[in-house]
């Protein structure tokens, strides 16, 4: 469904991605893990063409989207839930959702609004509240729901666990699991390797802008090198209690 081939991205003199190839099949949940500054956000932003590519290509459903504009990529069925959620804090929850659907036909927006508020009841309950008043976890749910308003077939998720307590992280991932079970394809990037790999089928490890490992998520979770570099203390604290 999504195929990124030999991607190179640089910011001035900083080479952020080097020869990165990643693919996601229809219906898959794929997590890419990497530490601070590894290039995870750069990867998602360059797939969406928010950041421009130096070399390499991206195919979505066999169509070349390497040079398409971000809004055309979204129209094709790809949506990004950005790092730090980026909800419109001074707009209501309802308005945030409407912003997600603003390019879609009115009948579809209505239908989608009903779907996302069923999926995330809190967004229905808080519809008229300012988004900035929501908790971090609720804002993450809103950011996901806003992306869903564009009716995507693939969801790109940037660091959904950021700044959230373990229980809330679990809630967010459980929602992603439900979405995946409805057939939505997910490509997620995270520093929080343990949770990202726990929920995914397949994974990649990005280090200094290069893919250094890939495979089944369960195998990566069990890999000693991954454990040492990415799970360490955090793994013990969160999952071995
Ligand atoms: N706009 C920019 N201008 C210059 N350098 C940048 C810019 N954005 C990112 N970088 C650099 O590119 C590299 C990759 O950054 P990126 O944000 O993609 O990493 P990340 O894996 O998402 O990190 P984090 O886990 O902290 O979100 C880093 O060295 C970063 O400093
Ligand atoms: Mg990032």
């Amino acid at each position: 469904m999504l195929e990124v081939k030999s991607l190179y991205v640089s910011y001035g003199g900083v080479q952020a991605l080097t020869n990165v190839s990643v693919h996601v099949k229809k219906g898959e949940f794929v997590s890419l893990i990497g530490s601070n500054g590894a290039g995870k956000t750069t990867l998602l932003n360059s797939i969406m063409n928010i950041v421009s590519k130096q070399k390499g290509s991206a195919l979505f459903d066999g169509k070349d989207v390497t040079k398409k504009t971000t809004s055309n990529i979204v129209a094709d069925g790809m949506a990004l839930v950005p790092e730090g959620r980026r909800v419109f804090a001074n707009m209501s929850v309802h308005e945030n959702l409407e912003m997600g659907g603003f390019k879609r036909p009115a009948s579809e927006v209505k239908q989608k609004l009903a779907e996302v508020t069923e999926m995330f009841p809190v967004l229905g309950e808080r519809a008229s509240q300012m988004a900035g008043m929501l908790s971090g976890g609720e804002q993450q749910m809103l950011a996901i729901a806003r992306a869903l308003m564009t009716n995507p077939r693939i969801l790109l998720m940037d660091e959904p666990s950021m700044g959230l307590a373990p229980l809330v992280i679990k809630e967010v991932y459980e929602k992603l699991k439900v979405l995946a079970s409805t057939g939505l394809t997910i490509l997620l990037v995270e520093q929080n390797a343990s949770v990202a790999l726990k929920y995914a089928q397949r994974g990649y490890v990005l280090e200094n802008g290069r893919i250094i490992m890939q495979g089944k998520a369960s195998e990566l979770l069990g890999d000693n090198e991954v454990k040492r570099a990415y799970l360490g203390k955090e793994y013990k604290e969160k999952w071995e209690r």
Side-chain angles (χ1 to χ4, degrees):
M1 165 167 255
L2 175 65
E3 192 167 8
V4 177
K5 289 195 239 174
S6 298
L7 192 64
Y8 289 74
V9 175
S10 77
Y11 299 105
V14 181
Q15 192 68 40
L17 294 179
T18 306
N19 197 22
V20 169
S21 297
V22 167
H23 70 273
V24 186
K25 293 188 197 132
K26 191 169 186 293
E28 259 192 323
F29 189 146
V30 173
S31 289
L32 177 141
I33 60 164
S35 48
N36 193 0
K40 304 179 298 297
T41 299
T42 301
L43 173 64
L44 297 189
N45 285 350
S46 62
I47 292 173
M48 299 296 293
N49 238 344
I50 296 166
V51 160
S52 44
K53 306 169 189 78
Q54 206 178 2
K55 261 199 318 193
S57 61
L59 298 181
F60 182 43
D61 273 347
K63 271 197 293 183
D64 192 341
V65 295
T66 313
K67 296 201 168 109
K68 279 200 173 189
T69 61
T70 303
S71 66
N72 284 336
I73 292 173
V74 173
D76 281 350
M78 212 187 296
L80 171 70
V81 182
E83 183 175 287
R85 343 205 202 280
R86 307 269 183 90
V87 299
F88 305 108
N90 295 320
M91 289 168 71
S92 72
V93 167
H94 182 76
E95 286 163 342
N96 268 268
L97 293 173
E98 279 185 335
M99 289 296 283
F102 88 110
K103 285 209 163 167
R104 315 299 301 185
S107 58
E108 188 187 300
V109 170
K110 209 174 154 204
Q111 165 71 23
K112 280 276 146 197
L113 268 174
E115 274 176 40
V116 300
T117 43
E118 191 186 332
M119 171 102 200
F120 305 102
V122 67
L123 301 181
E125 290 154 21
R126 307 270 171 98
S128 58
Q129 251 183 42
M130 292 296 118
M133 302 297 287
L134 300 179
S135 71
E138 288 162 350
Q139 289 190 21
Q140 186 63 63
M141 305 290 190
L142 177 57
I144 295 169
R146 182 183 57 186
L148 293 176
M149 291 297 295
T150 67
N151 201 17
R153 286 174 291 132
I154 186 168
L155 199 60
L156 308 186
M157 298 273 323
D158 195 345
E159 213 88 56
S161 78
M162 185 190 262
L164 303 179
L167 268 179
V168 183
I169 294 174
K170 189 163 180 226
E171 255 177 66
V172 170
Y173 271 83
E174 286 295 323
K175 292 290 184 190
L176 294 178
K177 190 171 159 183
V178 172
L179 286 169
S181 75
T182 68
L184 185 68
T185 306
I186 298 178
L187 172 61
L188 180 151
V189 305
E190 268 278 9
Q191 284 195 39
N192 188 335
S194 49
V195 72
L197 292 174
K198 187 170 178 249
Y199 281 84
Q201 287 133 24
R202 226 156 37 74
Y204 293 88
V205 181
L206 188 69
E207 208 171 275
N208 293 324
R210 294 172 190 268
I211 302 286
I212 57 155
M213 257 190 256
Q214 56 182 295
K216 273 190 176 174
S218 56
E219 285 168 13
L220 289 177
L221 257 181
D223 184 275
N224 284 334
E225 184 64 16
V226 173
K227 274 189 188 158
R228 183 193 59 74
Y230 298 97
L231 303 176
K233 183 166 153 271
E234 170 203 88
Y235 182 73
K236 288 205 166 60
E237 279 174 2
K238 287 194 181 131
W239 304 105
E240 285 186 351
R241 268 191 297 203

